[in-house]
Amino acid sequence: MKSYLAAAVQMNSLPDLHENLAQAEDLIDLAVRQGAELVCLPENFSFLGDEAAKIAEAATIAQSSEKFLKTMAQRYQITLLGGGFPVPTAAGKVHNTALLVGANGEELARYEKVHLFDVNLPDGNTYQESQTVLAGTNLPPVHPSKELGHLGLSVCYDVRFPELYRYLSQMGAHVLFVPAAFTAYTGKDHWQVLLQARAIENTCYVIAPAQTGRHNSLRQSHGHAMIVDPWGIILADAGDKPGVAIASIEPSRLEQVRRQMPSLQHRVFS
C-alpha cells in the first residue's frame, strides 16, 4: 500500500440519466486534475428520482452506469467506485448495486446493498426502499489492492449497522467506502458522527461520497461528502454544493493509529 490521493465526489443527481452522467464525468475530471487516483461516486449517482421511473428504466440505467464506470476508469487510469445504481432482478425489483472498477476497466468488486431504508421520519417524509429494491444477501466484499490498500464496500443506510464494518475490518479492510444519499433531516444530526464512529472503532479510513441538495419537491440530501482518517479526524468535507472532497490516504498514519490504539486486537466478542 502506498500514499495516494482519494476523492469523495458530491453530486446533485436528478431523474435524468444523461445529465447525471455528464455531471459525474465533470467531477471525476476535477478530482483527477487534483491528483486523485481513487475516485468514489455517491449512491444513486446515475439516477435519483421517481421510484416507478427508476424501475421502468432500470435496465437502461444499469447498462449505462456500468459502461460509464468502466469507460471513465480506463480513460483517466483510476480506480473508480460507483456508489449505487439499480440493477434489475428476476423478481421485478432492483438491487441497489455498488461497483468498484479498476484502471483497465475491469470489475474489481460488486456489492448489493443489504440494509434497506424503510423509515418514517419526523419531518413527515416516508421512505420505503424495499418497495422497489431487493435486499442483497451476501456480506460486502473487501478488495485487496496492493497499491490502494484493502477496500471495503458498503452503501448508505449500512452505516447504522456497525457489525457490517467490524466484519470488513476483520477481513482486513484499511479503507471503508460509505457512498450515500443521506436525507437532509437525518444527516444534520447523524451523518458526521456515524462516519467518525465507523472510522474510530475499526481504525480505518472512511471515504463517503454523497448526494446534496434538492432532487425533487420531496427529497433533499444532506451533502458533506467527506474523508475521515482512522483517528476520526475529518480530512476533507465537500460542504453542501456539488464538488469533491480530496485527501491523502497514508499507510504510515494507518499503522500509527493501529499501533497506538490496538482495539482490533483487544476484541473479546466476535
Side-chain angles (χ1 to χ4, degrees), residues 39-108:
V39 179
C40 305
L41 299 175
E43 184 184 31
N44 301 327
F45 71 93
S46 55
F47 189 90
L48 209 174
D50 177 75
E51 292 299 292
K54 180 179 78 175
I55 293 296
E57 300 174 38
T60 300
I61 296 169
Q63 185 177 23
S64 298
S65 299
E66 196 160 323
K67 181 180 178 183
F68 172 81
L69 293 170
K70 292 177 177 179
T71 300
M72 291 296 108
Q74 279 187 293
R75 178 181 301 169
Y76 289 103
Q77 287 297 290
I78 54 171
T79 300
L80 180 61
L81 176 74
F85 59 93
V87 175
T89 71
K93 295 184 178 183
V94 297
H95 282 307
N96 188 343
T97 304
L99 185 64
L100 185 67
V101 177
N104 293 327
E106 75 279 22
E107 178 176 322
L108 301 177

Side-chain angles (χ1 to χ4, degrees), residues 188-244:
K188 63 182 170 53
D189 296 324
H190 294 168
W191 172 244
Q192 179 177 314
V193 71
L194 284 168
L195 295 176
Q196 289 177 297
R198 300 297 84 88
I200 292 166
E201 69 199 6
N202 295 294
T203 52
C204 286
Y205 280 94
V206 169
I207 301 176
Q211 291 286 347
T212 192
R214 289 203 169 275
H215 310 287
N216 54 38
S217 59
L218 294 176
R219 185 153 182 177
Q220 183 177 0
S221 292
H222 174 64
H224 295 279
M226 59 179 65
I227 298 177
V228 185
D229 92 344
W231 193 253
I233 295 169
I234 297 165
L235 301 178
D237 182 336
D240 60 3
K241 300 287 190 293
V244 294

